[in-house]
Amino acid sequence: GQNIDQPTEMTATEGAIVQINCTYQTSGFNGLFWYQQHAGEAPTFLSYNVLDGLEEKGRFSSFLSRSKGYSYLLLKELQMKDSASYLCAVRGGSYNTDKLIFGTGTRLQVFP
Amino acid sequence: EPEVTQTPSHQVTQMGQEVILRCVPISNHLYFYWYRQILGQKVEFLVSFYNNEISEKSEIFDDQFSVERPDGSNFTLKIRSTKLEDSAMYFCASRTGIFSGNTIYFGEGSWLTVV
């Protein structure tokens, strides 16, 4: 089956660093995406990993280990506007699939 | 920055009625999708569409659902006879076809309430 696990909620302080973990078990793997979603809004693309290692983009970084079925999203210098849900999504399932399988999302609250 | 646009933003309909949700994907994109998110739950894949035909669909996408690209710009999702459990946010998404890793961009969503 397909399974993607992330913590349900996390809290952090403005200016701090937070790491959101994601583990996945899918029958195929063609890349992992992180999206940010504010309540009632569309998911917004943050990062994409298909090879092992770290991808850095400004205050956001994402790491992937395919052998461990593990990824994390690292947010630095947290700002109040970073309060949102962070969705881990795997493109996979079979060789020719294109769909994204989403986790339930991690709701991050940033406090002053 | 180009974006995926969706209409309506919110629709209330009676159970059993037909609903059409409309989307205008980003103009140079080739792959189109519908996802939905029931309140408080995860985003779920419904269907993908490429080269004027469905390329993949989920178990949710039964005979009550259909998609169409009636012209060069619009991409629609039709629910023939809505049920209470169809109440959800429906997201249209699209991507280019050059590389499989291309980002999938989501629209702002259409919130459907079935009463």
Side-chain angles (χ1 to χ4, degrees):
Chain A
Q2 326 278 29
N3 200 39
I4 297 177
D5 288 315
Q6 343 177 199
T8 305
E9 288 190 7
M10 297 183 72
T11 59
T13 306
E14 198 173 13
I17 299 172
V18 71
Q19 177 175 312
I20 302 174
N21 296 324
C22 171
T23 57
Y24 63 89
Q25 293 172 313
T26 57
S27 54
F29 180 83
N30 288 310
L32 186 144
F33 293 79
W34 284 96
Y35 283 86
Q36 180 191 62
Q37 186 180 31
H38 286 98
E41 297 182 11
T44 304
F45 171 77
L46 291 177
S47 70
Y48 169 72
N49 296 72
V50 67
L51 300 177
D52 290 350
L54 189 68
E55 293 283 340
E56 296 187 83
K57 193 187 279 190
R59 294 191 298 117
F60 297 87
S61 304
S62 57
F63 172 83
L64 174 68
S65 168
R66 288 171 297 169
S67 62
K68 294 180 179 172
Y70 168 70
S71 173
Y72 68 72
L73 179 70
L74 194 71
L75 294 80
K76 304 174 189 173
E77 301 169 17
L78 281 172
Q79 302 173 9
M80 297 296 290
K81 67 178 182 179
D82 296 330
S83 293
S85 286
Y86 291 86
L87 313 182
C88 174
V90 170
R91 174 185 276 138
S94 63
Y95 168 72
N96 59 352
T97 191
D98 192 33
K99 67 182 180 186
L100 293 180
I101 304 163
F102 281 86
T104 52
T106 298
R107 190 164 64 188
L108 173 67
Q109 285 188 287
V110 180
F111 292 100
Chain B
E1 184 176 320
E3 56 183 25
V4 177
T5 57
Q6 292 185 236
T7 54
S9 57
H10 190 187
Q11 182 162 352
V12 180
T13 189
Q14 286 197 323
M15 194 167 51
Q17 294 296 304
E18 176 182 282
V19 160
I20 296 176
L21 305 178
R22 292 182 167 81
C23 168
V24 179
I26 296 172
S27 63
N28 64 339
H29 285 191
L30 302 176
Y31 292 80
F32 314 113
Y33 311 86
W34 284 100
Y35 286 79
R36 79 171 186 189
Q37 187 175 29
I38 295 171
L39 187 64
Q41 298 187 23
K42 66 175 75 172
V43 177
E44 301 174 289
F45 169 78
L46 291 179
V47 65
S48 59
F49 191 87
Y50 170 71
N51 200 26
N52 282 320
E53 60 183 24
I54 290 174
S55 47
E56 189 175 6
K57 59 184 180 180
S58 70
E59 293 176 353
I60 303 168
F61 195 89
D62 61 21
D63 292 344
Q64 293 300 313
F65 291 86
S66 62
V67 289
E68 193 175 38
R69 188 157 163 82
D71 52 42
S73 60
N74 290 285
F75 179 51
T76 62
L77 173 70
K78 182 193 289 186
I79 309 174
R80 286 191 187 82
S81 178
T82 50
K83 303 189 272 288
L84 294 176
E85 53 264 38
D86 294 328
S87 294
M89 180 77 95
Y90 288 82
F91 293 110
C92 175
S94 69
R95 72 170 177 92
T96 64
I98 300 173
F99 303 110
S100 63
N102 279 139
T103 303
I104 296 177
Y105 292 92
F106 286 80
E108 290 296 317
S110 292
W111 183 248
L112 176 65
T113 303
V114 182
V115 297

